Amino acid sequence: MSISNPITPGLMSVVLGIVPVIVAWLYSEYLHYTKHSVSAKARHSDVNLVEIGKEFVKEDDDKALLIEDGVSLQAAAPKAKPSSAHSPLIRFVLLDESFLVENRLTLRAIIEFAVLMGYFYVCDRTDVFNSSKKSYNRDLFLFLYFLLIIVSAITSFTIHNDKSAFNGKSIMYLNRHQTEEWKGWMQVLFLMYHYFAAAEYYNAIRVFIACYVWMTGFGNFSYYYIRKDFSLARFAQMMWRLNFLVIFSCIVLNNSYMLYYICPMHTLFTLMVYGALGIMNKYNEMGSVIAAKMVTCFAVVIIVWEIPGVFEWIWSPFTFLMGYNDPAKPQLPLLHEWHFRSGLDRYIWIIGMLYAYYHPTVESWMDKLEEAEMKFRMAVKTTVALVALTVGYFWFEYIYKMDKLTYNKYHPYTSWIPITVYICLRNITQSFRGYSLTLLAWLGKITLETYISQFHIWLRSGVPDGQPKLLLSLIPEYPLLNFMLTTSIYVAVSYRLFELTNTLKTAFIPTKDDKRLVYNTIAAIIICTCLYFFSFVLIQIPQKLV
């Protein structure tokens, strides 16, 4: 196996960091196995449990506990040092047995995550697997997509009757099932666009990304406005969800943060929603305050993105993080990609906030409409549908059909049109908005993982910061079989990464202990700094000796 790129300090840091975790995990599994093997022997013994318990206690007070008058026997954890008062990090370093047994599943999750990161590296940075070129065929593209829709409709059609959080009725306007399904069918097209290089759908992909950013504004505003939870724990959880996987992908594969531009975009707009509602949050119940905050958001966007030079002035100190140099376009400024990507959807997150704010009002209107007489109800719904279809038609004919360079100029100001049209049509009737295709909704839950993973285990770039121009080939010369196999592995890995991200988030981000959260953050920074410094020195030593 040959490696296409030199070992970096970041990759070396991950390798060095995972070694003690492997040792601790193996030891925890051994302790767990020993504990349960003793329990199993005790349960299946023909000797009276009480006598066994007395014998165990007599030999070693800490080895077993006899409870409930001999009805059941619980094996105690192996004798450990009295270190319960020590920090988790100290207990980990000392291989505290009770601590390792308690956190065995967390250690296992870390190891599994590291293995999947290794799979990323092997697929994209070595010659273990082959590559193949992308090929676009419209007939095959549409066939595969609509086949998935049909299968989803046949196997996962589900009717929901959830109650509204605002009025307790089953209005189901823009419900969670619907938005997850929405993300799912868009993500499938987005991924297929990359896999097959379906350039003719470029404008549609721009709209899809705008929909994701709209949901960032809509979802975050709804949460903070209703729950009023601006805690440090909630903030840390959001940042972990958005950036945990991408940070490790950048470290292991030596990529820039901006290669995965969706992640910094969602992070930025999430922070802006958090800031908009978090500042003076005691007054969020006042409509005038919300209106002032919305106007301020628009003003900030206009100043930063519309006035030449302001964007570069604000973001230039963060070039180390937001800068990106595409190997295929080295002549572009480092902040070009960030300016372009964030600028395309600079307004739509605010539109999402507006729609979230008026969500209860629209639900109330829908509730009254559903209780109105049949003729009036049908007239209103028909009118809404006709207006939406007419507006959608004119947008499609006069904006969507533009060439991509021209379309990009209009996109920031018009992306709200197709989003609004879709929302109107998808929620036109009670029954229509009350069902979803749960297969697509399931895919919608793992959009972040499928987005990041596609770069390395479905497609290939082969070099740091390179756009994935090639396909991963596990079955050479059989493109459709290869598509089937790589897609199956890719989706399975993405789902596991989704699960592991949430598992580790629960382990490292306590929900009601800010002191421990701060401690975990500081400890992580110190450990990462030490590992990176040590790795840098290790890599430099052979170079100095040459």
Side-chain angles (χ1 to χ4, degrees):
M1 179 181 76
S2 64
I3 299 175
S4 59
N5 302 109
I7 301 298
T8 63
L11 178 60
M12 180 65 74
S13 300
V14 174
V15 173
L16 293 177
I18 203 64
V19 170
V21 178
I22 293 175
V23 173
W25 169 63
L26 291 175
Y27 188 36
S28 72
E29 292 289 356
Y30 167 76
L31 294 173
H32 179 75
Y33 172 78
T34 303
K35 173 183 175 181
H36 283 266
S37 64
V38 171
S39 299
K41 290 179 181 179
R43 283 195 303 269
H44 292 88
S45 175
D46 292 330
V47 183
N48 185 274
L49 289 179
V50 176
E51 295 300 322
I52 293 177
K54 292 179 180 178
E55 202 170 85
F56 269 105
V57 173
K58 190 174 181 180
E59 293 180 1
D60 187 349
D61 290 337
D62 295 321
K63 195 170 182 180
L65 297 174
L66 190 62
I67 60 176
E68 295 182 359
D69 297 327
V71 175
S72 62
L73 184 68
Q74 176 185 352
K79 188 173 182 179
K81 298 180 181 180
S83 57
S84 58
H86 293 164
S87 70
L89 181 59
I90 299 299
R91 297 179 70 189
F92 171 81
V93 172
L94 296 177
L95 293 179
D96 183 296
E97 294 180 354
S98 62
F99 174 80
L100 294 182
V101 171
E102 291 169 7
N103 294 277
R104 178 177 59 90
L105 296 181
T106 299
L107 294 171
R108 181 189 293 178
I110 295 173
I111 299 302
E112 184 179 355
F113 182 81
V115 169
L116 295 180
M117 287 292 98
Y119 182 63
F120 275 35
Y121 189 87
V122 170
C123 288
D124 198 31
R125 294 292 192 268
T126 71
D127 64 350
V128 172
F129 302 116
N130 295 319
S131 300
S132 59
K133 294 182 178 180
K134 297 180 180 181
S135 176
Y136 176 62
N137 179 286
R138 182 187 295 173
D139 182 47
L140 177 62
F141 183 92
L142 294 176
F143 166 77
L144 291 173
Y145 182 70
F146 286 112
L147 178 63
L148 174 64
I149 299 298
I150 293 170
V151 171
S152 299
I154 294 173
T155 61
S156 66
F157 180 88
T158 305
I159 299 175
H160 307 280
N161 292 298
D162 297 359
K163 303 296 182 181
S164 169
F166 301 105
N167 56 25
K169 298 181 180 180
S170 293
I171 303 300
M172 302 294 291
Y173 169 60
L174 277 177
N175 60 82
R176 184 64 177 267
H177 308 289
Q178 183 187 128
T179 54
E180 294 289 7
E181 178 202 74
W182 187 2
K183 289 193 294 183
W185 67 256
M186 288 193 303
Q187 184 72 355
V188 172
L189 274 175
F190 180 63
L191 296 172
M192 291 177 64
Y193 163 81
H194 285 158
Y195 191 92
F196 293 102
E200 66 174 307
Y201 297 104
Y202 174 89
N203 292 354
I205 300 305
R206 297 277 69 80
V207 174
F208 294 167
I209 295 174
C211 292
Y212 293 133
V213 177
W214 179 91
M215 291 182 197
T216 295
F218 181 86
N220 282 289
F221 184 96
S222 298
Y223 178 86
Y224 292 122
Y225 187 73
I226 296 173
R227 300 287 183 86
K228 301 176 178 60
D229 179 11
F230 299 94
S231 64
L232 178 62
R234 170 63 184 180
F235 177 81
Q237 288 170 349
M238 287 297 299
M239 293 300 102
W240 180 287
R241 177 72 185 95
L242 290 171
N243 292 288
F244 175 73
L245 177 57
V246 71
I247 286 174
F248 275 95
S249 297
C250 291
I251 293 172
V252 171
L253 296 152
N254 194 28
N255 286 328
S256 298
Y257 186 39
M258 267 309 298
L259 176 67
Y260 315 91
Y261 66 89
I262 294 291
C263 298
M265 279 178 57
H266 283 290
T267 300
L268 171 65
F269 297 130
T270 296
L271 289 173
M272 295 181 79
V273 176
Y274 182 84
L277 288 182
I279 297 173
M280 299 177 62
N281 61 80
K282 294 181 180 179
Y283 303 98
N284 284 344
E285 296 297 327
M286 300 173 59
S288 58
V289 173
I290 292 296
K293 290 185 175 186
M294 296 289 184
V295 171
T296 302
C297 289
F298 275 111
V300 169
V301 170
I302 291 171
I303 292 171
V304 174
W305 276 274
E306 303 289 358
I307 300 177
V310 175
F311 183 91
E312 289 76 12
W313 179 76
I314 291 176
W315 288 101
S316 56
F318 304 98
T319 301
F320 71 96
L321 180 64
M322 312 308 297
Y324 173 70
N325 188 7
D326 188 345
K329 303 173 183 177
Q331 75 280 3
L332 295 176
L334 290 176
L335 288 175
H336 169 81
E337 186 76 2
W338 178 227
H339 194 177
F340 171 69
R341 297 294 184 182
S342 61
L344 283 173
D345 299 306
R346 56 187 180 267
Y347 292 111
I348 198 62
W349 64 279
I350 309 177
I351 304 299
M353 291 171 63
L354 282 169
Y355 283 31
Y357 179 70
Y358 285 105
H359 184 276
T361 303
V362 176
E363 273 205 342
S364 177
W365 291 348
M366 287 185 167
D367 182 29
K368 293 178 181 178
L369 181 62
E370 293 300 329
E371 294 176 353
E373 61 180 30
M374 176 68 73
K375 290 182 179 180
F376 178 77
R377 186 165 69 244
M378 292 301 297
V380 172
K381 292 181 178 181
T382 302
T383 302
V384 170
L386 289 176
V387 170
L389 289 170
T390 303
V391 172
Y393 170 79
F394 281 106
W395 171 84
F396 180 80
E397 283 292 326
Y398 296 102
I399 298 177
Y400 178 81
K401 288 186 175 180
M402 294 176 176
D403 66 273
K404 71 176 188 178
L405 295 179
T406 305
Y407 175 80
N408 284 340
K409 297 177 181 179
Y410 288 87
H411 176 79
Y413 314 103
T414 61
S415 60
W416 64 272
I417 298 175
I419 293 174
T420 306
V421 169
Y422 177 81
I423 292 172
C424 289
L425 296 177
R426 184 66 175 85
N427 293 273
I428 195 66
T429 68
Q430 178 71 41
S431 58
F432 196 47
R433 59 180 175 263
Y435 74 76
S436 71
L437 305 182
T438 54
L439 175 58
L440 296 179
W442 179 81
L443 291 171
K445 293 180 181 179
I446 58 173
T447 51
L448 184 64
E449 288 72 25
T450 53
Y451 169 73
I452 295 172
S453 300
Q454 66 167 322
F455 286 83
H456 311 297
I457 61 174
W458 204 42
L459 313 174
R460 287 191 71 176
S461 62
V463 295
D465 285 343
Q467 294 294 327
K469 301 294 185 182
L470 299 172
L471 305 177
L472 177 65
S473 180
L474 301 180
I475 309 178
E477 308 301 329
Y478 292 90
L480 292 181
L481 288 177
N482 182 71
F483 174 75
M484 178 188 69
L485 178 59
T486 56
T487 301
S488 300
I489 297 173
Y490 157 63
V491 173
V493 168
S494 297
Y495 178 70
R496 283 306 302 155
L497 288 171
F498 168 77
E499 292 285 319
L500 292 170
T501 298
N502 288 326
T503 298
L504 296 176
K505 178 184 69 176
T506 302
F508 291 106
I509 302 183
T511 56
K512 297 181 180 179
D513 190 348
D514 288 351
K515 183 178 179 180
R516 182 184 161 206
L517 176 57
V518 172
Y519 172 84
N520 289 349
T521 304
I522 295 174
I525 293 173
I526 294 174
I527 292 171
C528 291
T529 302
C530 293
L531 284 173
Y532 188 87
F533 177 77
F534 187 56
S535 301
F536 181 80
V537 172
L538 282 180
I539 291 175
Q540 291 299 316
I541 291 175
Q543 298 177 4
K544 298 295 184 182
L545 296 177
V546 176

